[in-house]
Amino acid sequence: MVDIARLAGVSVATVSRALNGHPEISVATRERIAELARSLNYTVNAGAKNLRTKGNRTVAVVVPRDPAAPQPISDPFLLAMIGRLADALTSRGYDMLLSRTPADQIAALHASGTAVGIVQLGQWHDTGSLEAAARAGVPLVVWGAPLPGIGYCCVGCDNREGGRLATLHLLDQGRRHIAFIGDRSTPEPAERWQGYREAHEARGLVPAPSLHLTETTDLAHTRATVQALLDGGAPIDGIVCCSDILAIAAMSAVRAHGLRVPEDVAVTGYDDISWASHAEPPLTTVRQPIEPAADALVAALMQQAAGESTASVVLPVELVVRRSSGA
Amino acid sequence: MVDIARLAGVSVATVSRALNGHPEISVATRERIAELARSLNYTVNAGAKNLRTKGNRTVAVVVPRDPAAPQPISDPFLLAMIGRLADALTSRGYDMLLSRTPADQIAALHASGTAVGIVQLGQWHDTGSLEAAARAGVPLVVWGAPLPGIGYCCVGCDNREGGRLATLHLLDQGRRHIAFIGDRSTPEPAERWQGYREAHEARGLVPAPSLHLTETTDLAHTRATVQALLDGGAPIDGIVCCSDILAIAAMSAVRAHGLRVPEDVAVTGYDDISWASHAEPPLTTVRQPIEPAADALVAALMQQAAGESTASVVLPVELVVRRSSGA
DNA sequence: TTGAAAGCGCTAACAA
DNA sequence: TTGTTAGCGCTTTCAA
């Protein structure tokens, strides 16, 4: 900027004003300076500007990585969400930092001035760190189920209802031995499981033994687990899965066992990732509205960054019926 | 930091040194300061530090967005690559900025000090801006095919070979009317098309009419286009697709037309996204080694940031044969 | 309409 | 081992 000032024969203050479109500056000098900046390929240093103005236009999107068991981000729904968030933030003039910081360190992203706020994707098992960060005044919005009595803002879908809808749908197709696949030690599958039970109760039935998986990203492993269940002789005629990915694995296992989807075993997924409608057979699934979700996450964060407090948001889900459920 | 200095009864310089693990500082004061920082929830301001040290640990990963036709990032392969890059950068101690800056503005990301360097995903149609940025000294690595005579560093896979392998495979299954689906106006599909032709030549054959699509992310649209081709009476018995996504759409269209995969029409994809092996039928596809690719992108960028120049890298591909090709 | 000068939070000579 | 001081690149009073 000093270079420009010297070349233009003005002070750096003038250059700064010109470049920022300050009104009280002669059109002549403004244009001269703009031209000079362009020809020198000059851009105002963002860091220095932020330091001076205490501004910051960066939001950190965090997918925590467990240092003990590092796993790449592979869940298509999460990945799609990341893509949507990039758009939502870009269109609001924010930069998006994609971070793999463990949950107990997200507060530092804010304290260090790296980001104005944080969108964390998933609560995983560390709600304590999230509570702490929120209490410390870090603008924070979490994609996940708002647990009762929780101290931070969540944006999520109605998991109970999603589980209920999927299960009810299978029950109403006459299925009576419906397995439930998902990691119930995490909040969202736990809520869906509630819905699964409610659906059975509503029909005066008792749930079949369910499958509880801790690993949801490794297709091969999931498939093997489902297959083990079938090989064990369980008389399953329906499977409610907590993600479309799990449903892929489940359908694959069912076939490997010599059974047909949906004739012998009806399957439902969760998320409605873009692939679901093109699966074979097309997958019945619970759609989570990804674009509204991304918008809601960003909107809530902006409010918090502006000093307002925000309540958690629960978005509605929708059962998308396709062939895999035998309807 | 002044607060800590005051509370500890030392100068800010001492605090700075203590927090940075400078060797010439007494253990006592270092611990006192560390403790103080922890209790105050203090973290060094990253921006100010960068300003002072001229350091920067942020890399921008750019998926350009055409302002005229804004599209969310939806390609699973690209999304998976983003996930891998996040890991590769994180493990090297870099932050990753996911940006949707149009190609003609990426240089500003560097000039403004926002990022030390840029990884652009895809060349799209604007190689000119990439040339310009590289010439301006911006550390830049592009995921894509190294075009002859190009002035920037590319990391890509051997597209010609990929197209050749897939086509040869179908020809050797006895298929003689093989369509090619991809947007040949972009470099990578154009190279794969070369391979497609070479394969035919190698067997003394002439390629069937191919399908040239400009839109590769909209499944429904792609499917309709393929269906139109079949409805047009083309005697197609094989399809080479430029992505697994296209292959999904193609298989779907083939079935809708009342034909079977692979009996009537054999299909190959490209990328080997995680879903491919669980498709029905499992998809024969050309695998692009995503993790080595992400590593190569980051490694090349680091070299450039260190002032070294880097040559483009072409990674090998591998044909993964599954049932969709009828083998 | 413009300039001079202070200072954002930090680090690194140079002194002590 | 620690403090003093200058200055990274920028914006913004306050004066002119």
Side-chain angles (χ1 to χ4, degrees), chain B residues 74-96:
Chain B
S74 58
D75 178 14
F77 182 77
L78 231 47
L79 253 3
M81 177 68 93
I82 288 169
R84 289 294 185 169
L85 285 169
D87 286 319
L89 288 168
T90 299
S91 65
R92 290 184 186 236
Y94 282 81
D95 285 333
M96 167 173 159

Side-chain angles (χ1 to χ4, degrees), chain A:
Chain A
M1 190 177 257
V2 278
D3 299 346
I4 304 212
R6 193 168 34 237
L7 288 171
V10 296
S11 71
V12 289
T14 303
V15 175
S16 172
R17 285 190 272 249
L19 257 24
N20 285 314
H22 203 87
E24 297 121 325
I25 220 117
S26 86
V27 181
T29 48
R30 169 174 315 140
E31 302 224 311
R32 187 156 39 98
I33 289 171
E35 178 52 40
L36 226 34
R38 204 173 309 124
S39 71
L40 291 186
N41 232 298
Y42 170 83
T43 307
V44 173
N45 182 302
K49 181 172 192 157
N50 287 348
L51 179 57
R52 183 58 233 247
T53 62
K54 297 181 183 306
N56 186 324
R57 300 292 276 177
T58 302
V59 166
V61 172
V62 179
V63 183
R65 179 161 71 160
D66 180 357
Q71 266 204 283
I73 312 173
S74 58
D75 177 14
F77 182 77
L78 230 48
L79 253 3
M81 177 68 92
I82 289 169
R84 290 296 186 166
L85 284 169
D87 286 319
L89 290 168
T90 299
S91 64
R92 291 186 186 233
Y94 282 81
D95 285 333
M96 167 174 159
L97 200 67
L98 179 57
S99 170
R100 303 239 44 200
T101 307
D104 59 335
Q105 287 164 38
I106 54 171
L109 286 170
H110 177 254
S112 69
T114 305
V116 273
I118 294 175
V119 173
Q120 173 157 323
L121 264 24
Q123 313 189 65
W124 311 100
H125 293 280
D126 194 358
T127 57
S129 297
L130 294 170
E131 292 261 15
R135 208 167 22 239
V138 179
L140 168 69
V141 183
V142 176
W143 165 251
L147 300 171
I150 214 137
Y152 49 89
C153 173
C154 280
V155 170
C157 287
D158 192 338
N159 290 293
R160 215 185 27 68
E161 179 68 2
R164 204 181 65 85
L165 286 174
T167 310
L168 222 43
H169 173 66
L170 291 189
L171 288 173
D172 291 349
Q173 308 297 313
R175 309 294 167 148
R176 284 297 175 270
H177 301 276
I178 304 174
F180 176 96
I181 305 187
D183 178 7
R184 278 160 44 207
S185 75
T186 53
E188 295 75 20
E191 293 192 353
R192 294 171 197 172
W193 162 253
Q194 283 302 326
Y196 167 87
R197 291 185 43 180
E198 285 178 24
H200 279 85
E201 282 163 21
R203 293 290 180 270
L205 298 167
V206 178
S210 76
L211 201 51
H212 175 137
L213 295 174
T214 52
E215 173 59 76
T216 61
T217 55
D218 183 340
L219 284 178
H221 171 262
T222 303
R223 180 178 151 156
T225 313
V226 175
Q227 213 158 340
L229 179 75
L230 293 168
D231 291 343
I236 291 180
D237 59 6
I239 307 181
V240 168
C241 302
C242 278
S243 78
D244 291 343
I245 287 295
L246 284 173
I248 293 181
M251 293 199 292
S252 188
V254 166
R255 279 193 212 98
H257 194 73
L259 298 173
R260 294 161 304 164
V261 177
E263 293 81 354
D264 301 315
V265 181
V267 176
T268 65
Y270 213 104
D271 293 342
D272 195 25
I273 60 178
S274 67
W275 154 89
S277 63
H278 296 269
E280 184 54 36
L283 186 67
T284 293
T285 189
V286 178
R287 174 180 299 159
Q288 304 207 70
I290 193 164
E291 195 174 356
D295 288 342
L297 284 164
V298 172
L301 191 69
M302 301 291 101
Q303 274 190 264
Q304 285 191 33
E308 305 165 41
S309 74
T310 55
S312 287
V313 177
V314 175
L315 299 166
V317 293
E318 179 190 355
L319 181 72
V320 182
V321 177
R322 304 200 181 96
R323 280 218 328 274
S324 72
S325 58

Side-chain angles (χ1 to χ4, degrees), chain B residues 134 140-143 150-155 297 300-301 304 310-313:
Chain B
L140 169 69
V141 182
V142 177
W143 165 250
I150 215 138
Y152 50 89
C153 173
C154 281
V155 170
L297 285 164
L301 191 68
Q304 285 191 34
T310 54
S312 288
V313 177

Side-chain angles (χ1 to χ4, degrees), chain B residues 1 16 20 42 45 52:
Chain B
M1 189 177 260
S16 172
N20 286 312
Y42 169 85
N45 182 301
R52 182 60 232 248

